[in-house]
Structure formats: structure tokens, C-alpha cells
Amino acid sequence: MLISLTELFTREGKTNDYAVELDCREFQIPQGICPVSDSKPVALHIENVGDRTLVLSGEAEFTLMIPCDRCLEPVEVPFQLSIERTLDMNLTDEERIANLDEQPYLQGYNLDVDQLVRDELLLNLPMKVLCDEDCKGICNRCGANLNHETCDCDRSSLDPRMSVIQDIFKQFKEV
Ligand SMILES: [Zn+2]
Ligand SMILES: [Zn+2]
């Protein structure tokens, strides 16, 4: 959702509080397009500190369905993000892009709250998402989910790097 900062921007020292529903029902992240299964309104506090600068702090709380790294089953991952930004309104959109100081959540005097949350989410993604610490993953031969079924594939084949080491050992024995 877009919120207009025009009124706030014209009054130095003024603060505004907002509670904004997320429009986004899914987020695109490196793991894929992940549905939002639950969300609270995003709470934002924005202050005009003068010198054409706004200081923003906010809280976003939502749950994403992210595929397990091993078996790809969706896992509910809760997020609680604290967002802190300084919005420099001296810059035009063109200048921001030219400076590589991209603030894509800012379009003129409108703040794109979904984009702001997406930005913060990308900085806070977990390194690893697992449905269970002991997830057995999927068979890399037939694709069976090994948490639910077994298969007859031979998965004992060695990593090619290991077979190089084995060859070296063999050479030593032959000498
Ligand atoms: Zn899993
Ligand atoms: Zn298999």
C-alpha cells in the first residue's frame, strides 16, 4: 500500500503514526515465490526532522511459507522485522538511481510499504529453512520424499572428489 508523505513533509517537527495492511500476499525471495500465510498491520512511525529529511521506524510481523531446503515441503517461518530508514527528500528519483542510493520504496512523496517490507525481508532471510532438523530430504535419483517413503535407488555412489582421493590412496599402495 502507498502512503502519502506530502503533508508530513511540509511540517517540520511533525510526526505521524500509521498502521498499514500488507497488500502483498506473497514475496519473491531467492527460495522462490513464497505465500504470506498470516500478517499483522505494519506499524510505522515517521518524523520530519527538518532539512527535508524524514526518519522512519517500523515493525512488520508476518508468516511466510518457505520451502524446506532439503525436501521442498513448505515450512511456516515467522518474521518480526524492525525497520529503520532515513528518507532524504532532497534527492529526486533520478538522482537516487544515479547515486546507486536506491530507495525503491520511495516514489516521489509516496512510500510503498510493501516494497519497504520486502527490502527488509531480503536482509533478514534465514540462512537455512528446514521442516525438521532431521529432515531426510528427497532422493536425488527418483525425487521421492524420504521423510514419507523409501525407494530402492542406490545412493551410495561416492562424491567424484572422494573417488580422486581414493585413486591417490591406491597409487600409494601400489608403490
Ligand atoms: Zn524437509
Ligand atoms: Zn530414489
Side-chain angles (χ1 to χ4, degrees):
M1 186 191 238
L2 288 180
I3 55 180
S4 168
L5 301 175
T6 312
E7 190 221 341
L8 186 61
F9 180 64
T10 53
R11 295 174 57 191
E12 226 168 270
K14 186 174 165 58
T15 61
N16 265 350
D17 289 296
Y18 308 84
V20 187
E21 289 290 346
L22 277 180
D23 285 335
C24 250
R25 296 329 296 163
E26 56 192 23
F27 283 108
Q28 181 147 23
I29 61 173
Q31 284 92 332
I33 295 173
C34 298
V36 176
S37 64
D38 188 28
S39 68
K40 285 189 181 171
V42 182
L44 294 175
H45 177 86
I46 309 179
E47 181 176 3
N48 182 338
V49 294
D51 195 24
R52 300 171 67 83
T53 303
L54 303 179
V55 173
L56 171 156
S57 62
E59 289 282 335
E61 239 184 289
F62 55 92
T63 304
L64 274 191
M65 304 296 285
I66 302 179
C68 169
D69 284 353
R70 290 186 199 148
C71 72
L72 305 179
E73 291 277 327
V75 183
E76 285 202 339
V77 182
F79 288 90
Q80 190 165 16
L81 304 176
S82 294
I83 306 172
E84 308 284 339
R85 293 286 188 280
T86 299
L87 310 177
D88 183 352
M89 309 301 269
N90 287 299
L91 302 175
T92 64
D93 288 352
E94 290 76 25
E95 282 172 329
R96 280 196 192 99
I97 293 166
N99 293 347
L100 293 178
D101 177 25
E102 277 189 80
Q103 297 181 322
Y105 45 84
L106 210 51
Q107 301 165 5
Y109 294 111
N110 290 320
L111 178 72
D112 182 338
V113 177
D114 289 89
Q115 186 64 50
L116 178 71
V117 171
R118 184 182 297 119
D119 237 53
E120 190 66 28
L121 170 65
L122 291 175
L123 299 173
N124 287 280
L125 286 174
M127 296 290 287
K128 210 182 215 184
V129 175
L130 291 178
C131 62
D132 189 293
E133 277 300 318
D134 299 325
C135 172
K136 297 189 186 77
I138 54 177
C139 168
N140 57 20
R141 296 264 163 108
C142 72
N145 183 332
L146 301 174
N147 298 309
H148 305 313
E149 51 188 318
T150 53
C151 64
D152 299 323
C153 301
D154 176 11
R155 288 187 300 277
S156 64
S157 63
L158 286 168
D159 186 310
R161 284 165 298 179
M162 285 301 288
S163 59
V164 171
I165 293 171
Q166 278 200 325
D167 287 346
I168 292 171
F169 276 118
K170 259 185 232 153
Q171 281 173 15
F172 273 116
K173 271 185 200 155
E174 282 161 13
V175 171

